[in-house]
Amino acid sequence: MSNIEKLLEQNKVWAKSMTERDPDFFKRLSDQQNPDYLWIGCSDSRVPANQIIDLPPGEVFVHRNVANLIHYNDMNALSVIQYAVDVLKVEHIMIVGHYGCGGVRAAITGGDNGMVDYWLHSLRELYNLHHAELKDLPLDEQVDRMCELNARSQVQNLARTKILQRAWERGQNLQIHGWVYGLSDGRVNNLECTISGLSQVPNLYRVDRLTPVAGSKE
């Protein structure tokens, strides 16, 4: 049996076992998608969103990329975010890094890593910004600290998008959280950097500052 055939066989076994345990499982799953959570995480295969927070399929909307980055020109990520916010009406967005992230390490150590170097450019800029406080740490500690700084930075980036700000303007209950997952112990570190409203976004990045004042000539 080839590797692919083995996966297909495992799928049959899994589907049968789920139906035996809960005959209506797949019917409920196919009827609707109504998650409260959007998980934006790293593509690393060791960081499965549903399992980490112990929720079944259908409860978490997921987007993953190398080093869990939010780029303002990434139509893939922005489309996922807009659908989650405007259509699914999620109430929580978790941006989740993980300690020992290979993408973060590549951004720190440099070298020629191919196309991913373009993707990691903003992460290198973040490292350069914090270089003075990190440079004397062992490399592994630099990587782990950068994983935290990166998650915090992406929370800020997401809060500065029109998608989130328009949702807050219309009174939508929506929070962005920054987490880092530990591969060695399975625990999530809450970075306590939650943003839950437009008032927490710096004025320079707020869309409402550009809205003409009522009665003005603009």
Side-chain angles (χ1 to χ4, degrees):
M1 182 181 295
S2 70
N3 290 338
I4 294 300
E5 289 173 334
K6 183 178 180 182
L7 293 181
L8 293 171
E9 187 59 34
Q10 288 174 188
N11 166 254
K12 293 177 183 178
V13 173
W14 172 77
K16 181 180 178 182
S17 66
M18 292 300 293
T19 303
E20 288 173 347
R21 279 185 287 173
D22 183 355
D24 295 325
F25 176 79
F26 290 109
K27 183 181 186 306
R28 288 198 310 273
L29 200 61
S30 62
D31 282 344
Q32 65 176 356
Q33 176 178 227
N34 190 32
D36 291 327
Y37 308 98
L38 168 61
W39 173 292
I40 301 175
C42 183
S43 298
D44 193 296
S45 62
R46 300 167 293 177
V47 192
N50 287 72
Q51 288 178 261
I52 289 172
I53 49 180
D54 195 25
L55 288 178
E59 297 296 324
V60 187
F61 201 55
V62 179
H63 176 76
R64 297 167 71 174
N65 61 50
V66 176
N68 45 276
L69 296 174
I70 303 293
H71 290 311
Y72 299 126
N73 60 352
D74 181 0
M75 293 299 103
N76 183 6
L78 294 178
S79 297
V80 169
I81 293 164
Q82 182 165 26
Y83 184 78
V85 171
D86 293 351
V87 179
L88 297 178
K89 307 293 185 184
V90 298
E91 296 184 358
H92 300 274
I93 302 176
M94 297 89 75
I95 299 181
V96 189
H98 66 94
Y99 293 113
C101 178
V104 172
R105 184 178 294 270
I108 290 175
T109 57
D112 186 353
N113 301 291
M115 289 295 295
V116 75
D117 285 335
Y118 296 103
W119 179 257
L120 297 174
H121 182 73
S122 64
L123 197 48
R124 286 200 188 87
E125 291 183 326
L126 183 65
Y127 178 64
N128 185 60
L129 186 65
H130 293 276
H131 184 255
E133 65 187 85
L134 298 174
K135 61 184 177 63
D136 295 326
L137 297 175
L139 178 58
D140 286 347
E141 291 184 28
Q142 289 190 50
V143 171
D144 286 351
R145 178 62 180 143
M146 272 296 297
C147 290
E148 296 175 348
L149 291 169
N150 181 44
R152 289 177 177 272
S153 178
Q154 303 317 311
V155 167
Q156 294 288 334
N157 285 346
L158 183 52
R160 294 169 185 175
T161 64
K162 290 183 179 181
I163 300 168
L164 271 290
Q165 293 188 33
R166 292 304 187 202
W168 285 323
E169 281 186 320
R170 59 179 178 260
Q172 196 165 330
N173 181 27
L174 183 58
Q175 298 182 348
I176 315 170
H177 312 276
W179 293 356
V180 182
Y181 173 69
L183 295 171
S184 61
D185 61 7
R187 301 291 296 274
V188 168
N189 179 16
N190 182 3
L191 300 176
E192 305 291 349
C193 58
T194 296
I195 295 179
S196 55
L198 196 54
S199 63
Q200 294 174 267
V201 179
N203 187 61
L204 177 64
Y205 302 101
R206 288 175 57 165
V207 295
D208 62 352
R209 75 185 178 91
L210 302 176
T211 303
V213 178
S216 70
K217 295 181 180 180
E218 298 183 351

